[in-house]
Amino acid sequence: MSEWEELSGVRVLPAARPRKLAKVPFVELADGRLQGVVSSGSDIERVYVSSVAAGDFAFACSTNNNRPCGGVRGAFCKHIEAMIDEAVVQYGGQRVARYLHVDLGSMAPNATDIRSLMDQVRPSASAAKPAAQVFSRFLRHLAYLELEPTTEPLPELQWFAPSRAAV
Amino acid sequence: MVRAVEGSGVMRADLLVEPVAGCDEALAVVDGFDRALAGGLLRPRAGADVALAALADAVGGTPLGPLVTEAAEKAGAGVAGEEDLVALAGARVAILGSVHDALVARLDEATWRTREVWPGAGEVTQQSANLLAAARSWLADVARVGWHGMDHELVAGAAPVVSVMLPDTGLRRLATLLDGFAAELAASCPGATLERVPVRRWADLWSRAMLLTEPGAAGSRTVTGAGPADVVAAAGSSSTTATVTGRLLPLGIDLHEHATAVQAQIHAVLEPADGGAPRLVRASVSVPKPDTVVGMGVWQLLRPHMSLIAAFSEGRAMDLADMPITAEGDLRWSDDKARRSEPADPFAAARLVLPTATAACTAPLARHPARIAELVFLEGYKVADGVLELSGGRLVLDTDRIPEASPLTPELVRASTSCIGLVRWDAGTFTLQPLAVEAPVKKKATAVHAGAWAGGTADKEGVQAEKAAAEAVTVLRERAGKLLRK
Ligand SMILES: [Zn+2]
């Protein structure tokens, strides 16, 4: 085996990079999609649930009550664009592009280029409507803030080192 | 004890670059198993049966022997059941445990350190059998398809189990492990397109999780038979009946984190009030977190839950009264058993008290090279190309482990004249993770700690990070307040 394969402590996932959460409180690369929750510009009670699938970039956007987003007609709406931008801040452009299968070629992995590369494929609206699932993932994510701390040692966390180095 | 008195106290780093007998052979057996696991045990790859048989041979003389032989045969034929997979995981853990012991013995020789022996069995913790079974079933499914056969749907199966486990702090150890492990697998799906696989790491995480699904494995109890459950359970964590009273001198903070959990572990020397030999101890605090809480945000989450963090940041010792402690040297921290004490200089403690301190041992089940994190104090070294050279030996510097929100930088480590750190071992090499250094800052020798900002900071850069992190948590708490209680 190569040395990398033999490392117990190898860092597989870099830590998320800090970002402001007010506009896009939640993004994740999961279930073969980039998906997230985007605040409505006008109504504090309303959020949009947006997603883009890896590979064909099939997209969806609706409110958490399943009302379709008015801006999502044949192309990415501003919520999807904001979600992609924030995902690039949080995970870095390389990781977002790799997960979505965006071939960057020699381009820099910034959000604008990643968006325009996806645009060129003329993606269509997704047949799947993952809003409910994504929203419940968001609630699960928020629930982590409510869990009790413990002073019992967790020995297995020795395997999870913090990392200064971006992977 | 005699050796500690006779020793010069200067680390014999030359011993750390010499091969440790038997390690390579043991690791070759582990690698064989790990490759079989990577390919999946439902349709074992060519040669998997040989690798599995070698694993069984390696533990042939132990109580696990007959069980593992049977499990290896079944796995080689693609018909392993969950109990068989637990037995195989147990064998792998046992082999790596022996590697751990050889490495720790070498390290003790190099550091002139005296180590306690494992006292044997202790309490049994009660855990939900249903949840453990659900976790095991997911782990078994993962093992059947292997890293190259996994997909999003399979990996997503961990989430519901983890969600139910996390609120129960008695299951936190397994839940936190599964959560971090599943996140890595999810980010690597589909496995069929993976270019490279962290073969040993994922086998480590899988086998540890598998063993923790044995009821009682996170606690410990007496051996009553020779089934895998008994072997595992007897080797679990440790007895908690002991307490300690005395002065606690914190020397450094080690941080562990994955996307959705963080743990601070404070390494300290305890001077018992009864005048006994000083002991190396740890105090830990951990909490699950959303993945967007990072950097300074993780210190903010941990800070309110352990008074020792503030004491450390203020450079103070603490007086402990009847604080529970495990046989592994882990304090079971509770703020009401600790009082802020006098200022105490960690470097003075590292120079004067650390060389005389006795180390605890590791619980049998917990032994693994990745668990080695031995507190040392070093000076009189040279740093070149990321390597610390001293007394005829060398330690590779792991400055990557310094937390993001920290005033300690790789540059300061390079310029340092002395260092408090943790010696670790990975893939054949001993490394040094700096926890603190003394280095010239504006031409003045200054102590800089990796965990200096744990309790808060007045540093300009640190204050900005504090503010941004606090804002992020405020946004999330506001959302949680609106959405989770609807
Ligand atoms: Zn939209």
Side-chain angles (χ1 to χ4, degrees), chain A residues 48 50 61-62 69-72 77-80:
Chain A
Y48 287 87
S50 310
C61 187
S62 66
C69 163
V72 64
C77 60
K78 61 179 182 178
H79 308 115
I80 292 176

